Every structure is written in C-alpha cells, then in structure tokens.
Amino acid sequence: MKNARVLIVDPDEISRKLCRETLQQHLSVGEIVCEGTFDAAVKSLRQQSFDLAVLAIDPPRLDGVSLLQLAKQASAQLPVLMLASAPDVASATASMRFGASDYLTKPLKPDALVNSARRLLEQSRLGAENELLRRQVERPYIFEDIIGTSPAMRKVFSTIEQVAGSNVDVLVIGETGTGKELIARAIHRRSPRADAPFVPVDCGAIPDNLLESELFGHERGAFTGADNRRIGLLEFADGGTFFLDELGELPGVLQAKLLRTLQERKVRRVGGHEEVAVDVRVVAATARDLDAMIRQGTFRQDLYYRINVIRIDLPPLRNRGDDIGLLAEYFAHRHSREMGKKVIGVTPEAYQVLAQYAWPGNVRELQNVIRRGIALTQATMIGLDDLPDELVATAGRHHVGEAPSYFEIRDRQIALFEKQYLTELLSRHHGDVRTASDEAKLPRGTLYRLMKNHGLESVNFRAVR
C-alpha cells in the first residue's frame, strides 16, 4: 500500500529502527510513526488512524498485550503484528485472544517481517475497500440484496418487515426480472425460520411429468425408473421456507394437490399411502395475471385465495424512478470488481438513456446491460458508446396519450440544440467528421452516433462552401 500508515511501538530503539528501515525499504509505505513508550503509543492511536500496527511485547518496559487491547478498541479492523522479545506461549495465546493478526519473535528476520506486514497491509486494503463499498451500497436504500428508494419499493420493504416474523403464506406478483426470489429470500432471512432450509423451485423449468415427483417425492416403484424412495422438495423444506416460483405455470392437477398440502400441511409422495406432516412456509411468485387465469378457468380460485394471504406487488423497473441510477451504480461496483476493472458508474448521458428506457426485462436486464458496459468500456464510467444500440435507439419513447414528462420535454429541447449545433459544426468543416470531432471535443464514434440520431450525413455538407 503506497499510502499506508504504519505504527511501530517498541522501547528498544535499535529494534524499532530496524523495523522501520526494513518496511520502508521493502514495502514503500506512506508514513511510519514510531513510538517508544506505552503512553505515547496510546496518544498516537487515539489521535491518528493506521493501516497496520507493529507492537512489541517487552515486559516490564512495555505491556504490548494491553496496548493491543487499546488498539482494537480504537479500531476493531486494525491489523496488529505482535513482536515478542522471546518465545512465550502465554503472550502468544493472549495476543491471539485479543485480536492480533500475527505473532513474531525477536531477533527479527527481515523476510518474516516483510511477508507478514505485506499480507496484513493487503488485508487492511481489502477491508477498507469493502467498507467503502458497503457504505456505498448499504445505505438506507438497500434492504437485504434489494435496492430502492422509490415509494413502491419502500412499501415492499415495509410489508416484508411486517410479515417476516409470522408464518403466513405470501404471494409475490411482479414482471419477469423484478427480483421476486430476492423478496422471498429476504422474508426467509428475517423470519424465525432463517436457520432452516430455503428451498426454491421453478414450476416453469421442470417438465410437467416430473414436477409432481419433484414437489412431493415418490416411493420406490411408483413409476418406471423410481428405484428408490425419494423425498420431495416440500418435505425437504420442513421447518423452513418453500419458494414456489412461477406459480401460474403449475398444472391443474398439481394445483389441487398443492391446495391440499397448504390446507393440511401434509404431503403424500407419489405412489405412497401415508401422509407426511411438513412444517413449511410457502412464498409463491408469478409474473402472470392470476385473476385473468381464474376467469379463464386455468387457475384454481380456491388455491389463489389460500396462498394469497399476504400479497406483495413488485413494481417494474420503469416505474421506480431514481432507483435505476442506484441499481446501475451498485451493479457497476459489484461487477467491475468481479471482472477486475475499475468502473465506478455511468456517465450522465448514459444515465439519461437508462432512465428513459422501458426495461422490459427489468432489473435483470439492467444488470446485464451494466455487465456489458463494464466489459466494453475503456474508461472509469460507462458511456453512451458502451450501451447496446437498440437500447439507445428506443430510450425516451413514451406511450401515446401520456403527457410528456419533464425529462421528455427537456430531451426535445436538447435534441433541437444538438441538431442545430451539429448542422452548423458540419457546415463549418464541410462534412469532415475528423476535424469536426476535434473542435467539438467528442469521440468520432459519438459524433457519428449523434449524426445518425438526427439524420445528418457528412456527404450533404461537403458541397457547402
């Protein structure tokens, strides 16, 4: 860590100097503060912050273990390397008990000191980065792994808080990609069942002929290939939470069997004669219109009423306002770290496009767009050129009959300015995009994109003299 600050506390001046010079020579740290007494060290710990502390254990001149405790009180995350004058089991045990990160004995071996300090400084750096990221993404707008400040999302968070501690079944309604499973997991983690299994099953991903066996299990010989008894996912979730995703895809015959299970909290395996009691909380989710399915006769009304004890409606991303920016920033931080890049967010121009896009794939689509942008960008922020062309082309369109929003009116004015500016710019440069981009201080690709958006072609300006 080039800017790391290290505290060395050792009453032995020679040892203190050796330690300082070794770290300066091999680690190139930013600043090293050396103290020779207990009181001076306490003062430094209380008045300054450090990335690493190296504390000597040298009784009776210095009580390093007591200093360790004070250092941890000042900063619980501070890595501390203890230096003992001689090997001592008692001091080593005490050091580890009070939070020391490493323990070395004198005489100091430079390699051991450097390796230990380098490792602890790296841990300190990662801890600082994680703390920064945590502060950025775990503000009041984050609830479990769900991010949002919009009124609709605050209502969702409030409902989760109210119902998580109970055992009532929950129905989550939302478009594909809105995060229905995240809601189910948040309910589970905040419930008394948090230490028991959370078992998800996607009704739309399992063939109908296998779904009954998956949900309810089967006895040996129940059908061809059933060589052994197998418990179902409902039984496996006993004591925990059963998440039934895409409830609307459940076949009619299994709707009846699920209704019986919900009413009696018992399951009967395929081919079995006995019922097995299960203690499960069911959280179901669907993107389909169950009311319409009931009217069409494809979904049982009694099952709907039985499972719809508490209903949570997840808003589509297009109706969540500034949540789009929060999510984009969160995904940028999260995935840039995974991909080994330093991308901190999106440019204002790119954000405006994201804010105007309809997001048919909701949060999942936004996450994929940000991942794509991170992979493509050569800068520290995702720009317009890093967004999919089809997204940029369709962003900003509003439904016929709706009053234009502030942003749409503003965009119209910006579009008028852009077209006028580009027309005058290209006229001055007789259609030469290279020199025009230099004057405008725009990447040539961006200028071409703007020209395309406004129906301008360089050839039409070449004859203007």
Side-chain angles (χ1 to χ4, degrees):
M1 294 177 67
K2 187 166 57 176
N3 296 318
R5 302 185 74 251
V6 179
L7 173 66
I8 299 174
V9 184
D10 194 331
D12 185 338
E13 184 177 355
I14 296 177
S15 175
R16 190 168 66 239
K17 183 178 179 181
L18 173 62
C19 185
R20 178 190 184 111
E21 291 177 349
T22 300
L23 295 181
Q24 284 180 328
Q25 179 180 355
H26 295 280
L27 296 184
S28 301
V29 293
E31 181 182 358
I32 297 179
V33 176
C34 292
E35 304 291 359
T37 67
F38 186 97
D39 292 341
V42 171
K43 184 177 179 180
S44 291
L45 285 167
R46 288 175 176 172
Q47 294 180 350
Q48 304 179 60
S49 61
F50 298 94
D51 301 294
L52 172 66
V54 181
L55 309 181
I57 304 174
D58 191 6
R61 292 189 296 173
L62 182 69
D63 184 356
V65 175
S66 296
L67 188 58
L68 166 64
Q69 297 178 61
L70 292 174
K72 285 296 184 176
Q73 290 174 9
S75 175
Q77 304 304 319
L78 175 66
V80 179
L81 168 60
M82 305 300 289
L83 300 180
S85 298
D88 180 67
V89 174
S91 66
T93 302
S95 296
M96 296 301 109
R97 185 170 69 250
F98 291 117
S101 304
D102 205 348
Y103 182 94
L104 299 178
T105 57
K106 298 179 181 179
L108 275 177
K109 296 180 179 179
D111 288 346
L113 174 64
V114 169
N115 290 336
S116 178
R118 180 181 288 117
R119 176 175 57 82
L120 297 183
L121 284 171
E122 179 64 12
Q123 291 178 2
S124 180
R125 182 185 66 82
L126 292 175
E129 290 182 356
N130 290 336
E131 175 62 16
L132 175 61
L133 183 61
R134 186 192 66 77
R135 291 201 307 269
Q136 290 171 332
V137 302
E138 292 187 4
R139 299 172 185 140
Y141 59 73
I142 189 166
F143 185 96
E144 300 288 341
D145 293 323
I146 314 160
I147 296 172
T149 59
S150 60
M153 290 306 297
R154 289 187 181 277
K155 182 178 179 181
V156 170
F157 299 158
S158 176
T159 303
I160 293 174
E161 291 279 19
Q162 291 172 351
V163 306
S166 66
N167 280 318
V168 296
D169 296 331
V170 179
L171 177 62
V172 184
I173 304 291
E175 295 179 6
T176 299
T178 49
K180 296 185 287 294
E181 183 170 344
L182 288 178
I183 298 298
R185 290 185 180 276
I187 292 172
H188 174 71
R189 285 196 293 263
R190 290 174 174 264
S191 75
R193 300 172 177 267
D195 294 331
F198 175 89
V199 181
V201 59
D202 185 346
C203 297
I206 302 174
D208 290 354
N209 61 328
L210 299 178
L211 188 54
E212 182 178 12
S213 174
E214 286 293 318
L215 293 180
F216 300 97
H218 62 256
E219 295 290 348
R220 180 180 180 184
F223 49 83
T224 303
D227 299 328
N228 296 289
R229 186 180 71 174
R230 180 180 179 184
I231 68 170
L233 295 175
L234 273 163
E235 196 173 342
F236 185 75
D238 186 40
T241 302
F242 183 71
F243 175 54
L244 192 62
D245 199 7
E246 299 303 336
L247 176 67
E249 304 298 326
L250 196 65
V253 63
L254 293 186
Q255 291 179 27
K257 192 165 184 177
L258 177 63
L259 174 62
R260 182 179 179 86
T261 297
L262 294 179
Q263 289 173 334
E264 301 182 6
R265 301 292 161 170
K266 294 180 180 179
V267 296
R268 178 179 294 173
R269 303 188 188 105
V270 178
H273 302 287
E274 298 180 355
E275 292 185 324
V276 179
V278 291
D279 172 24
V280 295
R281 180 190 201 166
V282 176
V283 179
T286 184
R288 301 187 64 177
D289 185 346
L290 295 184
D291 292 319
M293 293 181 66
I294 291 171
R295 291 193 297 270
Q296 297 164 3
T298 56
F299 195 84
R300 294 181 63 110
Q301 188 176 46
D302 48 3
L303 175 59
Y304 175 75
Y305 289 141
R306 182 62 187 81
I307 207 166
N308 188 25
V309 181
I310 297 293
R311 173 168 169 162
I312 296 178
D313 289 283
L314 271 181
L317 182 58
R318 60 184 171 274
N319 294 341
R320 290 178 55 181
D322 290 341
D323 286 358
I324 294 173
L326 294 176
L327 285 161
E329 180 184 355
Y330 172 76
F331 290 139
H333 281 286
R334 172 179 169 183
H335 295 304
S336 63
R337 290 172 61 85
E338 294 173 357
M339 299 166 69
K341 300 186 74 173
K342 294 182 179 180
V343 179
I344 61 175
V346 299
T347 65
E349 295 80 10
Y351 169 71
Q352 187 59 49
V353 170
L354 299 182
Q356 293 299 305
Y357 183 59
W359 297 110
N362 291 291
V363 178
R364 186 181 298 125
E365 183 182 8
L366 173 61
Q367 184 175 16
N368 290 334
V369 166
I370 296 300
R371 284 175 61 89
R372 177 188 187 275
I374 294 170
L376 293 177
T377 190
Q378 299 299 315
T380 58
M381 299 188 79
I382 297 169
L384 280 176
D385 291 343
D386 306 313
L387 300 179
D389 288 339
E390 61 273 17
L391 187 152
V392 177
T394 58
R397 297 177 183 174
H398 64 276
H399 299 291
V400 177
E402 291 182 355
S405 69
Y406 159 78
F407 290 108
E408 290 167 336
I409 295 172
R410 186 187 70 176
D411 288 348
R412 291 175 188 172
Q413 298 301 316
I414 292 175
L416 290 173
F417 158 76
E418 285 180 350
K419 187 168 186 178
Q420 180 180 353
Y421 174 84
L422 293 172
T423 300
E424 294 174 355
L425 177 70
L426 292 168
S427 296
R428 286 196 301 275
H429 292 273
H430 310 296
D432 188 332
V433 175
R434 181 182 62 81
T435 58
S437 65
D438 289 342
E439 179 186 328
K441 295 181 175 59
L442 287 173
R444 204 174 308 175
T446 300
L447 183 55
Y448 274 120
R449 186 190 298 276
L450 290 171
M451 291 167 58
K452 182 179 179 181
N453 289 346
H454 295 287
L456 302 175
E457 296 184 10
S458 59
V459 67
N460 296 330
F461 295 89
R462 289 173 186 166
V464 179
R465 297 290 178 181

